[in-house]
Amino acid sequence: MWLINSSIGRKVVMSVTGIALILFLTFHCCMNIVALFSGKAYNMICELLGANWYALVATLGLAALAVIHIVYAFILTAQNRTARGNSRYDVATTVNPGKVEWASKNMLVLGIIICLGLLLHLFNFWYNMMFAELMGFSAGHLPSDGFAFIIDTFQNPVFSVLYIIWLAAIWFHLTHGFWSAMQTLGWSGKTWLCRWKWIGGIYVTLLMLGFLVVVLAFWFGCAPSLCCGGCC
């Protein structure tokens, strides 16, 4: 099958899974912003997305997308290193010949940081919430009390700093990956490549700022939802 056996096919898979993950991040960001204003509303969403069959199916699907994206990233990186020596990522130089973006040369390092951050995030939230509900144990709060886990996590300075580093790595990764995916899928030419870079840069920056605001607001205790212990 060409999607598996050919280099172009693997890049298409990387692009499609990458776009799907960006869409999930968009939903996740919107959900997190709710926590800024209402702990009750956030916990209602958490309860809706608890250990229900549809949430489990969605989680498995999301996990599959992430695993496929990561595995293909390592395969493509290995191929590019073999073909180009020290070059780590296949990048386009249509707009700026001879100029290679920093992110494109360090996608593997960024990917490793993102994977480590993902493991931390899964431990802080998924393990304590959905997994705890499935296994029938409590990690200090009710599994559906996502608001309490947000407070515990981001009021810990170490976790907050690690999350900020993680968000920075995701920003670098996505600002390159966004336009690269569009190019791989054939949705950009000489004119649209520049446009996709601008669109992707703005969109990803706003997305990461949304996550960052939540981290900082809970770290410094200035989230509006904290005014009445999360009951606002």
Side-chain angles (χ1 to χ4, degrees):
M1 187 177 178
W2 73 277
L3 285 175
I4 299 175
N5 298 325
S6 72
S7 178
I8 295 177
R10 295 188 187 104
K11 290 177 183 178
V12 169
V13 172
M14 277 281 291
S15 300
V16 172
T17 55
I19 291 172
L21 291 171
I22 289 175
L23 292 175
F24 167 75
L25 285 175
T26 302
F27 165 76
H28 198 346
C29 182
C30 293
M31 179 178 170
N32 283 8
I33 289 174
V34 171
L36 283 176
F37 302 99
S38 173
K40 284 187 176 180
Y42 183 78
N43 282 346
M44 286 177 62
I45 298 174
C46 290
E47 189 172 357
L48 180 66
L49 299 177
N52 304 300
W53 69 267
Y54 49 83
L56 291 174
V57 170
T59 300
L60 290 174
L62 182 62
L65 286 173
V67 169
I68 291 171
H69 191 80
I70 293 169
V71 169
Y72 273 57
F74 276 99
I75 292 174
L76 286 172
T77 298
Q79 285 182 334
N80 288 328
R81 280 187 168 181
T82 301
R84 294 187 175 88
N86 293 327
S87 180
R88 294 186 177 184
Y89 203 75
D90 186 21
V91 296
T93 55
T94 306
V95 178
N96 298 306
K99 182 178 180 181
V100 181
E101 294 180 354
W102 180 87
S104 68
K105 294 187 295 183
N106 294 277
M107 291 298 271
L108 180 59
V109 175
L110 292 171
I112 291 173
I113 294 173
I114 291 170
C115 286
L116 293 174
L118 179 60
L119 291 176
L120 174 66
H121 186 63
L122 290 174
F123 171 74
N124 284 333
F125 293 97
W126 179 81
Y127 174 79
N128 290 324
M129 296 173 68
M130 181 179 283
F131 185 76
E133 186 175 348
L134 286 172
M135 297 294 105
F137 69 88
S138 173
H141 303 291
L142 291 174
S144 60
D145 194 358
F147 188 74
F149 288 112
I150 283 184
I151 295 174
D152 288 350
T153 299
F154 296 135
Q155 288 189 350
N156 182 321
V158 175
F159 283 150
S160 290
V161 170
L162 290 175
Y163 268 86
I164 291 171
I165 294 172
W166 185 38
L167 293 175
I170 295 174
W171 183 87
F172 278 110
H173 188 84
L174 293 186
T175 49
H176 172 80
F178 188 95
W179 66 260
S180 181
M182 296 304 174
Q183 186 182 56
T184 296
L185 296 174
W187 295 345
S188 67
K190 291 182 178 179
T191 301
W192 269 97
L193 183 59
C194 260
R195 294 176 181 175
W196 281 126
K197 286 188 175 183
W198 276 99
I199 293 171
I202 294 171
Y203 185 82
V204 170
T205 298
L206 292 174
L207 188 61
M208 292 302 104
L209 282 176
F211 285 110
L212 180 61
V213 166
V214 173
V215 174
L216 295 178
F218 281 94
W219 183 4
F220 294 105
C222 56
S225 54
L226 293 172
C227 63
C228 296
C231 64
C232 300

PDB file of all heavy atoms in Angstrom, residues 117-129 139 146 149-150 152-154 156 159-160 162-163:
ATOM      1  N   GLY A 117       6.253  15.619  27.288  1.00  0.00           N
ATOM      2  CA  GLY A 117       5.198  16.457  27.849  1.00  0.00           C
ATOM      3  C   GLY A 117       3.851  15.765  27.819  1.00  0.00           C
ATOM      4  O   GLY A 117       3.038  15.904  28.737  1.00  0.00           O
ATOM      5  N   LEU A 118       3.620  15.007  26.752  1.00  0.00           N
ATOM      6  CA  LEU A 118       2.365  14.269  26.636  1.00  0.00           C
ATOM      7  C   LEU A 118       2.247  13.219  27.737  1.00  0.00           C
ATOM      8  O   LEU A 118       1.168  13.042  28.323  1.00  0.00           O
ATOM      9  CB  LEU A 118       2.280  13.600  25.257  1.00  0.00           C
ATOM     10  CG  LEU A 118       1.041  12.754  24.977  1.00  0.00           C
ATOM     11  CD1 LEU A 118      -0.221  13.602  25.079  1.00  0.00           C
ATOM     12  CD2 LEU A 118       1.139  12.107  23.597  1.00  0.00           C
ATOM     13  N   LEU A 119       3.336  12.529  28.028  1.00  0.00           N
ATOM     14  CA  LEU A 119       3.326  11.530  29.102  1.00  0.00           C
ATOM     15  C   LEU A 119       3.014  12.190  30.449  1.00  0.00           C
ATOM     16  O   LEU A 119       2.238  11.649  31.252  1.00  0.00           O
ATOM     17  CB  LEU A 119       4.677  10.816  29.161  1.00  0.00           C
ATOM     18  CG  LEU A 119       5.003   9.896  27.986  1.00  0.00           C
ATOM     19  CD1 LEU A 119       6.419   9.340  28.128  1.00  0.00           C
ATOM     20  CD2 LEU A 119       3.994   8.759  27.876  1.00  0.00           C
ATOM     21  N   LEU A 120       3.607  13.365  30.687  1.00  0.00           N
ATOM     22  CA  LEU A 120       3.322  14.100  31.923  1.00  0.00           C
ATOM     23  C   LEU A 120       1.854  14.491  31.985  1.00  0.00           C
ATOM     24  O   LEU A 120       1.202  14.351  33.029  1.00  0.00           O
ATOM     25  CB  LEU A 120       4.206  15.347  31.996  1.00  0.00           C
ATOM     26  CG  LEU A 120       3.931  16.298  33.174  1.00  0.00           C
ATOM     27  CD1 LEU A 120       4.268  15.612  34.495  1.00  0.00           C
ATOM     28  CD2 LEU A 120       4.737  17.581  33.010  1.00  0.00           C
ATOM     29  N   HIS A 121       1.319  14.968  30.857  1.00  0.00           N
ATOM     30  CA  HIS A 121      -0.077  15.401  30.805  1.00  0.00           C
ATOM     31  C   HIS A 121      -1.023  14.219  31.031  1.00  0.00           C
ATOM     32  O   HIS A 121      -2.014  14.344  31.755  1.00  0.00           O
ATOM     33  CB  HIS A 121      -0.352  16.050  29.453  1.00  0.00           C
ATOM     34  CG  HIS A 121      -1.710  16.665  29.355  1.00  0.00           C
ATOM     35  ND1 HIS A 121      -2.112  17.718  30.142  1.00  0.00           N
ATOM     36  CD2 HIS A 121      -2.781  16.372  28.555  1.00  0.00           C
ATOM     37  CE1 HIS A 121      -3.352  18.056  29.837  1.00  0.00           C
ATOM     38  NE2 HIS A 121      -3.785  17.248  28.894  1.00  0.00           N
ATOM     39  N   LEU A 122      -0.708  13.089  30.428  1.00  0.00           N
ATOM     40  CA  LEU A 122      -1.531  11.894  30.615  1.00  0.00           C
ATOM     41  C   LEU A 122      -1.527  11.461  32.075  1.00  0.00           C
ATOM     42  O   LEU A 122      -2.558  11.043  32.614  1.00  0.00           O
ATOM     43  CB  LEU A 122      -1.029  10.760  29.723  1.00  0.00           C
ATOM     44  CG  LEU A 122      -1.262  10.921  28.216  1.00  0.00           C
ATOM     45  CD1 LEU A 122      -0.574   9.796  27.451  1.00  0.00           C
ATOM     46  CD2 LEU A 122      -2.755  10.949  27.900  1.00  0.00           C
ATOM     47  N   PHE A 123      -0.373  11.560  32.728  1.00  0.00           N
ATOM     48  CA  PHE A 123      -0.286  11.179  34.143  1.00  0.00           C
ATOM     49  C   PHE A 123      -1.106  12.125  35.009  1.00  0.00           C
ATOM     50  O   PHE A 123      -1.848  11.684  35.905  1.00  0.00           O
ATOM     51  CB  PHE A 123       1.171  11.186  34.605  1.00  0.00           C
ATOM     52  CG  PHE A 123       1.327  11.015  36.090  1.00  0.00           C
ATOM     53  CD1 PHE A 123       1.127   9.770  36.671  1.00  0.00           C
ATOM     54  CD2 PHE A 123       1.642  12.089  36.901  1.00  0.00           C
ATOM     55  CE1 PHE A 123       1.250   9.606  38.051  1.00  0.00           C
ATOM     56  CE2 PHE A 123       1.764  11.940  38.275  1.00  0.00           C
ATOM     57  CZ  PHE A 123       1.572  10.693  38.850  1.00  0.00           C
ATOM     58  N   ASN A 124      -0.987  13.419  34.761  1.00  0.00           N
ATOM     59  CA  ASN A 124      -1.676  14.414  35.598  1.00  0.00           C
ATOM     60  C   ASN A 124      -3.185  14.414  35.423  1.00  0.00           C
ATOM     61  O   ASN A 124      -3.921  14.724  36.370  1.00  0.00           O
ATOM     62  CB  ASN A 124      -1.136  15.821  35.303  1.00  0.00           C
ATOM     63  CG  ASN A 124       0.217  16.061  35.921  1.00  0.00           C
ATOM     64  OD1 ASN A 124       0.567  15.467  36.928  1.00  0.00           O
ATOM     65  ND2 ASN A 124       1.012  16.929  35.315  1.00  0.00           N
ATOM     66  N   PHE A 125      -3.649  14.071  34.224  1.00  0.00           N
ATOM     67  CA  PHE A 125      -5.085  14.188  33.968  1.00  0.00           C
ATOM     68  C   PHE A 125      -5.734  12.865  33.553  1.00  0.00           C
ATOM     69  O   PHE A 125      -6.607  12.373  34.245  1.00  0.00           O
ATOM     70  CB  PHE A 125      -5.330  15.274  32.914  1.00  0.00           C
ATOM     71  CG  PHE A 125      -4.988  16.649  33.410  1.00  0.00           C
ATOM     72  CD1 PHE A 125      -3.764  17.231  33.122  1.00  0.00           C
ATOM     73  CD2 PHE A 125      -5.887  17.357  34.201  1.00  0.00           C
ATOM     74  CE1 PHE A 125      -3.442  18.492  33.610  1.00  0.00           C
ATOM     75  CE2 PHE A 125      -5.585  18.619  34.692  1.00  0.00           C
ATOM     76  CZ  PHE A 125      -4.345  19.186  34.397  1.00  0.00           C
ATOM     77  N   TRP A 126      -5.336  12.273  32.447  1.00  0.00           N
ATOM     78  CA  TRP A 126      -6.011  11.068  31.967  1.00  0.00           C
ATOM     79  C   TRP A 126      -5.923   9.943  32.997  1.00  0.00           C
ATOM     80  O   TRP A 126      -6.922   9.279  33.294  1.00  0.00           O
ATOM     81  CB  TRP A 126      -5.404  10.608  30.642  1.00  0.00           C
ATOM     82  CG  TRP A 126      -6.060   9.355  30.123  1.00  0.00           C
ATOM     83  CD1 TRP A 126      -7.236   9.262  29.443  1.00  0.00           C
ATOM     84  CD2 TRP A 126      -5.573   8.020  30.284  1.00  0.00           C
ATOM     85  NE1 TRP A 126      -7.525   7.942  29.158  1.00  0.00           N
ATOM     86  CE2 TRP A 126      -6.521   7.159  29.672  1.00  0.00           C
ATOM     87  CE3 TRP A 126      -4.447   7.458  30.875  1.00  0.00           C
ATOM     88  CZ2 TRP A 126      -6.353   5.782  29.635  1.00  0.00           C
ATOM     89  CZ3 TRP A 126      -4.279   6.083  30.845  1.00  0.00           C
ATOM     90  CH2 TRP A 126      -5.238   5.264  30.229  1.00  0.00           C
ATOM     91  N   TYR A 127      -4.735   9.740  33.558  1.00  0.00           N
ATOM     92  CA  TYR A 127      -4.559   8.659  34.535  1.00  0.00           C
ATOM     93  C   TYR A 127      -5.423   8.892  35.774  1.00  0.00           C
ATOM     94  O   TYR A 127      -6.042   7.963  36.312  1.00  0.00           O
ATOM     95  CB  TYR A 127      -3.084   8.566  34.935  1.00  0.00           C
ATOM     96  CG  TYR A 127      -2.822   7.575  36.061  1.00  0.00           C
ATOM     97  CD1 TYR A 127      -2.760   6.210  35.804  1.00  0.00           C
ATOM     98  CD2 TYR A 127      -2.639   8.015  37.377  1.00  0.00           C
ATOM     99  CE1 TYR A 127      -2.532   5.291  36.827  1.00  0.00           C
ATOM    100  CE2 TYR A 127      -2.416   7.112  38.408  1.00  0.00           C
ATOM    101  CZ  TYR A 127      -2.358   5.756  38.127  1.00  0.00           C
ATOM    102  OH  TYR A 127      -2.144   4.854  39.143  1.00  0.00           O
ATOM    103  N   ASN A 128      -5.475  10.138  36.231  1.00  0.00           N
ATOM    104  CA  ASN A 128      -6.226  10.464  37.448  1.00  0.00           C
ATOM    105  C   ASN A 128      -7.723  10.604  37.213  1.00  0.00           C
ATOM    106  O   ASN A 128      -8.492  10.636  38.188  1.00  0.00           O
ATOM    107  CB  ASN A 128      -5.703  11.765  38.052  1.00  0.00           C
ATOM    108  CG  ASN A 128      -4.316  11.607  38.636  1.00  0.00           C
ATOM    109  OD1 ASN A 128      -3.990  10.563  39.197  1.00  0.00           O
ATOM    110  ND2 ASN A 128      -3.491  12.629  38.495  1.00  0.00           N
ATOM    111  N   MET A 129      -8.138  10.677  35.954  1.00  0.00           N
ATOM    112  CA  MET A 129      -9.553  10.899  35.666  1.00  0.00           C
ATOM    113  C   MET A 129     -10.176   9.694  34.954  1.00  0.00           C
ATOM    114  O   MET A 129     -10.782   8.839  35.597  1.00  0.00           O
ATOM    115  CB  MET A 129      -9.705  12.188  34.843  1.00  0.00           C
ATOM    116  CG  MET A 129      -9.259  13.438  35.628  1.00  0.00           C
ATOM    117  SD  MET A 129      -9.237  14.948  34.651  1.00  0.00           S
ATOM    118  CE  MET A 129     -10.991  15.177  34.356  1.00  0.00           C
ATOM    119  N   ALA A 139      -7.695   9.373  42.973  1.00  0.00           N
ATOM    120  CA  ALA A 139      -6.362   9.966  43.112  1.00  0.00           C
ATOM    121  C   ALA A 139      -6.443  11.259  43.914  1.00  0.00           C
ATOM    122  O   ALA A 139      -5.791  12.241  43.594  1.00  0.00           O
ATOM    123  CB  ALA A 139      -5.760  10.230  41.737  1.00  0.00           C
ATOM    124  N   GLY A 146     -12.270  17.476  37.224  1.00  0.00           N
ATOM    125  CA  GLY A 146     -11.113  17.954  36.467  1.00  0.00           C
ATOM    126  C   GLY A 146     -10.616  19.301  36.940  1.00  0.00           C
ATOM    127  O   GLY A 146      -9.418  19.601  36.853  1.00  0.00           O
ATOM    128  N   PHE A 149      -8.068  18.916  39.603  1.00  0.00           N
ATOM    129  CA  PHE A 149      -6.783  18.453  39.072  1.00  0.00           C
ATOM    130  C   PHE A 149      -6.039  19.585  38.359  1.00  0.00           C
ATOM    131  O   PHE A 149      -4.808  19.634  38.379  1.00  0.00           O
ATOM    132  CB  PHE A 149      -6.998  17.261  38.135  1.00  0.00           C
ATOM    133  CG  PHE A 149      -7.368  15.995  38.845  1.00  0.00           C
ATOM    134  CD1 PHE A 149      -8.628  15.441  38.697  1.00  0.00           C
ATOM    135  CD2 PHE A 149      -6.458  15.365  39.687  1.00  0.00           C
ATOM    136  CE1 PHE A 149      -8.980  14.275  39.367  1.00  0.00           C
ATOM    137  CE2 PHE A 149      -6.794  14.193  40.357  1.00  0.00           C
ATOM    138  CZ  PHE A 149      -8.064  13.651  40.200  1.00  0.00           C
ATOM    139  N   ILE A 150      -6.788  20.479  37.716  1.00  0.00           N
ATOM    140  CA  ILE A 150      -6.157  21.650  37.095  1.00  0.00           C
ATOM    141  C   ILE A 150      -5.486  22.508  38.169  1.00  0.00           C
ATOM    142  O   ILE A 150      -4.334  22.949  38.012  1.00  0.00           O
ATOM    143  CB  ILE A 150      -7.195  22.485  36.320  1.00  0.00           C
ATOM    144  CG1 ILE A 150      -7.530  21.817  34.988  1.00  0.00           C
ATOM    145  CG2 ILE A 150      -6.656  23.888  36.042  1.00  0.00           C
ATOM    146  CD1 ILE A 150      -8.480  22.616  34.127  1.00  0.00           C
ATOM    147  N   ASP A 152      -4.483  21.583  41.216  1.00  0.00           N
ATOM    148  CA  ASP A 152      -3.340  20.861  41.785  1.00  0.00           C
ATOM    149  C   ASP A 152      -2.127  20.912  40.863  1.00  0.00           C
ATOM    150  O   ASP A 152      -0.990  21.082  41.310  1.00  0.00           O
ATOM    151  CB  ASP A 152      -3.711  19.395  42.043  1.00  0.00           C
ATOM    152  CG  ASP A 152      -4.655  19.234  43.217  1.00  0.00           C
ATOM    153  OD1 ASP A 152      -4.869  20.226  43.948  1.00  0.00           O
ATOM    154  OD2 ASP A 152      -5.187  18.122  43.397  1.00  0.00           O
ATOM    155  N   THR A 153      -2.380  20.748  39.556  1.00  0.00           N
ATOM    156  CA  THR A 153      -1.276  20.680  38.598  1.00  0.00           C
ATOM    157  C   THR A 153      -0.611  22.031  38.390  1.00  0.00           C
ATOM    158  O   THR A 153       0.615  22.166  38.517  1.00  0.00           O
ATOM    159  CB  THR A 153      -1.785  20.147  37.237  1.00  0.00           C
ATOM    160  OG1 THR A 153      -2.316  18.830  37.419  1.00  0.00           O
ATOM    161  CG2 THR A 153      -0.640  20.093  36.227  1.00  0.00           C
ATOM    162  N   PHE A 154      -1.404  23.058  38.094  1.00  0.00           N
ATOM    163  CA  PHE A 154      -0.811  24.334  37.702  1.00  0.00           C
ATOM    164  C   PHE A 154      -0.437  25.239  38.869  1.00  0.00           C
ATOM    165  O   PHE A 154       0.254  26.237  38.679  1.00  0.00           O
ATOM    166  CB  PHE A 154      -1.744  25.057  36.731  1.00  0.00           C
ATOM    167  CG  PHE A 154      -1.935  24.313  35.447  1.00  0.00           C
ATOM    168  CD1 PHE A 154      -3.194  24.158  34.887  1.00  0.00           C
ATOM    169  CD2 PHE A 154      -0.852  23.741  34.786  1.00  0.00           C
ATOM    170  CE1 PHE A 154      -3.376  23.458  33.704  1.00  0.00           C
ATOM    171  CE2 PHE A 154      -1.015  23.038  33.608  1.00  0.00           C
ATOM    172  CZ  PHE A 154      -2.276  22.893  33.068  1.00  0.00           C
ATOM    173  N   ASN A 156       1.389  23.985  41.052  1.00  0.00           N
ATOM    174  CA  ASN A 156       2.723  23.422  41.302  1.00  0.00           C
ATOM    175  C   ASN A 156       3.689  24.093  40.325  1.00  0.00           C
ATOM    176  O   ASN A 156       3.606  23.870  39.120  1.00  0.00           O
ATOM    177  CB  ASN A 156       2.697  21.910  41.082  1.00  0.00           C
ATOM    178  CG  ASN A 156       4.032  21.253  41.375  1.00  0.00           C
ATOM    179  OD1 ASN A 156       5.093  21.788  41.059  1.00  0.00           O
ATOM    180  ND2 ASN A 156       3.993  20.076  41.981  1.00  0.00           N
ATOM    181  N   PHE A 159       5.484  21.806  37.670  1.00  0.00           N
ATOM    182  CA  PHE A 159       4.606  21.371  36.591  1.00  0.00           C
ATOM    183  C   PHE A 159       4.303  22.524  35.630  1.00  0.00           C
ATOM    184  O   PHE A 159       4.291  22.345  34.405  1.00  0.00           O
ATOM    185  CB  PHE A 159       3.306  20.796  37.141  1.00  0.00           C
ATOM    186  CG  PHE A 159       3.441  19.401  37.700  1.00  0.00           C
ATOM    187  CD1 PHE A 159       2.619  18.972  38.735  1.00  0.00           C
ATOM    188  CD2 PHE A 159       4.371  18.519  37.188  1.00  0.00           C
ATOM    189  CE1 PHE A 159       2.730  17.689  39.259  1.00  0.00           C
ATOM    190  CE2 PHE A 159       4.499  17.232  37.693  1.00  0.00           C
ATOM    191  CZ  PHE A 159       3.675  16.814  38.738  1.00  0.00           C
ATOM    192  N   SER A 160       4.053  23.698  36.164  1.00  0.00           N
ATOM    193  CA  SER A 160       3.717  24.846  35.319  1.00  0.00           C
ATOM    194  C   SER A 160       4.863  25.187  34.373  1.00  0.00           C
ATOM    195  O   SER A 160       4.648  25.433  33.181  1.00  0.00           O
ATOM    196  CB  SER A 160       3.368  26.067  36.180  1.00  0.00           C
ATOM    197  OG  SER A 160       2.141  25.870  36.847  1.00  0.00           O
ATOM    198  N   LEU A 162       7.238  23.147  33.354  1.00  0.00           N
ATOM    199  CA  LEU A 162       7.341  22.051  32.385  1.00  0.00           C
ATOM    200  C   LEU A 162       6.267  22.175  31.301  1.00  0.00           C
ATOM    201  O   LEU A 162       6.533  21.911  30.120  1.00  0.00           O
ATOM    202  CB  LEU A 162       7.218  20.700  33.097  1.00  0.00           C
ATOM    203  CG  LEU A 162       8.398  20.307  33.996  1.00  0.00           C
ATOM    204  CD1 LEU A 162       8.092  19.002  34.732  1.00  0.00           C
ATOM    205  CD2 LEU A 162       9.672  20.170  33.175  1.00  0.00           C
ATOM    206  N   TYR A 163       5.063  22.583  31.699  1.00  0.00           N
ATOM    207  CA  TYR A 163       3.991  22.759  30.716  1.00  0.00           C
ATOM    208  C   TYR A 163       4.304  23.911  29.763  1.00  0.00           C
ATOM    209  O   TYR A 163       4.007  23.835  28.569  1.00  0.00           O
ATOM    210  CB  TYR A 163       2.652  23.002  31.420  1.00  0.00           C
ATOM    211  CG  TYR A 163       1.874  21.734  31.671  1.00  0.00           C
ATOM    212  CD1 TYR A 163       2.105  20.976  32.819  1.00  0.00           C
ATOM    213  CD2 TYR A 163       0.930  21.270  30.765  1.00  0.00           C
ATOM    214  CE1 TYR A 163       1.402  19.806  33.057  1.00  0.00           C
ATOM    215  CE2 TYR A 163       0.225  20.102  30.992  1.00  0.00           C
ATOM    216  CZ  TYR A 163       0.469  19.363  32.144  1.00  0.00           C
ATOM    217  OH  TYR A 163      -0.223  18.198  32.369  1.00  0.00           O
TER     218      TYR A 163
END
